[in-house]
Each structure stands twice: as C-alpha cells, then as structure tokens.
Amino acid sequence: MNIDEVKTTVVVGAGEVGHGIALGLAMAGYQIRLNSTTEASLQKGLDSIKADLDRLVDIGFADPNLARAALPRIFTTPSLEEACQDADVVFEAVPENLELKQRIFKELDAFCPERTILTSSTSSIIPSNFAAVTKRPDRVLVAHYTGPAYLSPLVEIVRSEQTSDEAVDTVFQVLTKVGKKPVIVQKEVPGFIANRLLAALLREALSMVQRGVASPED
C-alpha cells in the first residue's frame, strides 16, 4: 500500500495511549475511527484529546488552526465492526494482555478489508503472536509508541519474519507524516530496543551499588 492510499485509520482503545495516537493522526490530516467498548470510555478519550490539544497550543507546539481542524476528523464508535469499515491502517492500543489483544486481532482480521495493515502498540509482545491468529501475517506488526503518545517522537516498528517490506514501509511513512521518529526492529526480541537499553542501564546501576561504587541516592 502506498502512503498516498492511506486515508482512514482506526485506533482501538481510547485510553492513555490510544487517545494520544488518535490525536497525532488527526492533526496529520487522517480520518480517525476511535473505538472503545463503551460510550463513556470514548467520551473520556475525547475529553483527553481536547485537553491535550489545548496544552499543545498553549506551549506553542501546535498551530491553533491545525488543532481546531483535528477534532472533526475523529469519529467514535463502540462497534469494532463499524470502525473497521474501509480501514487502511489499524493501531491497537488496549491493555497489555496477550489473550485480549489476540482476540481483538482475530476480530480485526475478520472485519477489516484484505488490504488493511494491523499494528499493536504493545511494549513487549512480539508481533508473531498476533500474526498467528490472522490470515494476513504479512500485514501484521508492532508500532510501539512511547509516552506520552501525542508528544514523544519515538515509535518502535517491530516486524516478524512474515511481515512484508511494504507493510513496514507504509507504517514508517505514516508515522513520519505524523511527526514521529520511527525506528525499525528487524528481529523479534523481547523488550525491543528502548526497554532492552533501559534494562541494561538498570542492571549496571544495581551492579555499581552492589560493588560499593556509589550509593543508591548518588
């Protein structure tokens, strides 16, 4: 899929990560279908989007005209099937629960057009776990946003052995258009890039304390 063919994006989950992803996509000009299980959670997500937009304008990170244009691009629905109609790229952003995410990917695979690319915002689950429950493993990958999702530039794209170059390139270009700085993890490793580096830093800090090099406070 060419970047110019991506018109409609879906965000599944309107919580801390999901609403931030939707905000960034809407400001970049994409039509958003924001899905969550209840109208109450969708309204909470919209309220968070409005508050974050105001904050971005106040600190000079967003043009007021762009911010005002973003909200009308976001359509909310508690129906996943309705959200998936004509979807080009889906960003799943539900809690870090493998069983829950796999159930959603099965439903996404059934509801979305054949061309749709399916991504997960997981911070630790390798993409082959999601690809295994779909009939489109070449269009399944991870797009791990770092927080806050509407502000932090880093997004880790993680591919499985079955993920196509085209799917990776399309998501990379979408994220770049949104203003992110995506990086590509070429092999499925737990923790991806950022978390593995953080773990190494924490191990070294603990080692220094244990060896008496420095106190925990220092």
Side-chain angles (χ1 to χ4, degrees):
M1 187 187 307
N2 186 283
I3 180 65
D4 295 328
E5 297 175 300
V6 178
K7 306 295 183 183
T8 301
T9 58
V10 174
V11 179
V12 182
E16 190 64 29
V17 177
H19 90 264
I21 295 174
L23 186 162
L25 290 166
M27 288 190 67
Y30 289 109
Q31 297 297 317
I32 310 299
R33 294 194 181 133
L34 181 61
N35 167 260
S36 189
T37 54
T38 66
E39 293 288 356
S41 60
L42 286 169
Q43 185 58 53
K44 184 177 180 181
L46 278 179
D47 291 343
S48 296
I49 288 172
K50 292 174 184 176
D52 290 340
L53 278 171
D54 289 342
R55 187 175 299 111
L56 289 172
V57 171
D58 288 343
I59 63 178
F61 271 48
D63 180 276
N65 293 324
L66 288 177
R68 281 193 294 269
L71 284 175
R73 298 189 182 109
I74 302 174
F75 169 78
T76 62
T77 175
S79 167
L80 185 61
E81 184 173 7
E82 182 180 25
C84 289
Q85 294 177 8
D86 297 323
D88 296 309
V89 180
V90 176
F91 294 88
E92 170 271 306
V94 303
E96 197 78 345
N97 179 293
L98 177 58
E99 184 177 344
L100 171 62
K101 288 178 181 287
Q102 285 183 323
R103 177 174 62 78
I104 289 173
F105 267 79
K106 285 182 182 179
E107 293 176 350
L108 290 172
D109 191 45
F111 295 148
C112 287
E114 185 178 334
R115 70 177 185 278
T116 309
I117 298 171
L118 309 179
T119 81
S120 174
S121 67
T122 179
S123 62
S124 59
I125 302 171
I126 57 176
S128 57
N129 284 322
F130 308 127
V133 299
T134 74
K135 297 177 182 178
R136 62 182 82 199
D138 59 317
R139 291 186 295 284
V140 174
L141 50 87
V142 163
H144 171 227
Y145 276 71
T146 51
Y150 68 93
L151 194 57
S152 177
L154 174 62
V155 181
E156 296 178 306
I157 296 175
V158 189
R159 65 186 303 161
S160 73
E161 289 186 359
Q162 294 173 293
T163 307
S164 69
D165 291 341
E166 180 185 7
V168 171
D169 184 62
T170 299
V171 174
F172 186 95
Q173 290 187 60
V174 168
L175 293 170
T176 301
K177 181 178 177 179
V178 172
K180 299 303 181 182
K181 301 292 185 182
V183 298
I184 299 175
V185 184
Q186 297 286 359
K187 293 184 178 181
E188 293 184 303
V189 290
F192 312 148
I193 295 174
N195 283 342
R196 290 175 70 88
L197 290 173
L198 177 60
L201 179 62
L202 293 174
R203 286 196 304 270
E204 182 61 21
L206 179 59
S207 174
M208 286 193 290
V209 170
Q210 290 176 329
R211 291 184 288 115
V213 176
S215 68
E217 293 79 11
D218 289 335

